[in-house]
Amino acid sequence: MVYITSWDEFVERSVQLFRADPDSTRYVMKYRHCDGKLVLKVTDNKECLKFKTDQAQDAKKMEKLNNIFFTLMSRGPDADVSEVTGKEQTEAQPGKKGRGRKQ
């Protein structure tokens, strides 16, 4: 289990690992608040990829990786993940104007 230092390499190899064997690949996140460290692990019981960070801005990258895996798991391993972003664009819902009674 060697930590991959490059985020882009970790994402690319993780997607390749999932596409090679989607039934046995799993993705684990572990956050240690006392250390402020986030560890991401993708494994298929044969190969294990790990990425460790203590940077707060990497939370957005983790969100994008989550969305990539959600896309691959829901649409199948052959899905195109190039258009997946950190936050999916949803239709803007009108906000409530006030807290008063409904008329």
Side-chain angles (χ1 to χ4, degrees), residues 3-59:
Y3 287 98
I4 297 174
T5 55
S6 167
W7 174 256
D8 294 328
E9 181 185 355
F10 175 73
V11 170
E12 182 180 325
R13 289 182 61 189
S14 298
V15 169
Q16 288 175 356
L17 190 66
F18 180 82
R19 285 186 168 154
D21 192 5
D23 292 333
S24 66
T25 302
R26 61 188 182 277
Y27 168 57
V28 179
M29 291 179 288
K30 183 168 127 183
Y31 178 70
R32 288 183 46 103
H33 182 68
C34 60
D35 298 336
K37 297 208 185 296
L38 174 69
V39 177
L40 305 174
K41 178 170 96 170
V42 179
T43 183
D44 67 347
N45 294 332
K46 296 175 208 139
E47 184 178 0
C48 183
L49 308 172
K50 290 179 106 178
F51 179 80
K52 178 169 51 173
T53 184
D54 58 357
Q55 302 297 315
Q57 66 262 21
D58 287 340

Side-chain angles (χ1 to χ4, degrees), residues 7 10-11 14-15 27-30 38-42 58-74 81 84-88:
W7 174 256
F10 175 73
V11 170
S14 298
V15 169
Y27 168 57
V28 179
M29 291 179 288
K30 183 168 127 183
L38 174 69
V39 177
L40 305 174
K41 178 170 96 170
V42 179
D58 287 340
K60 290 290 182 192
K61 294 178 182 177
M62 181 203 65
E63 183 180 351
K64 183 173 181 178
L65 183 64
N66 282 343
N67 287 339
I68 288 172
F69 275 116
F70 289 153
T71 301
L72 289 172
M73 289 177 191
S74 62
V81 294
V84 175
T85 60
K87 283 198 174 198
E88 294 299 324

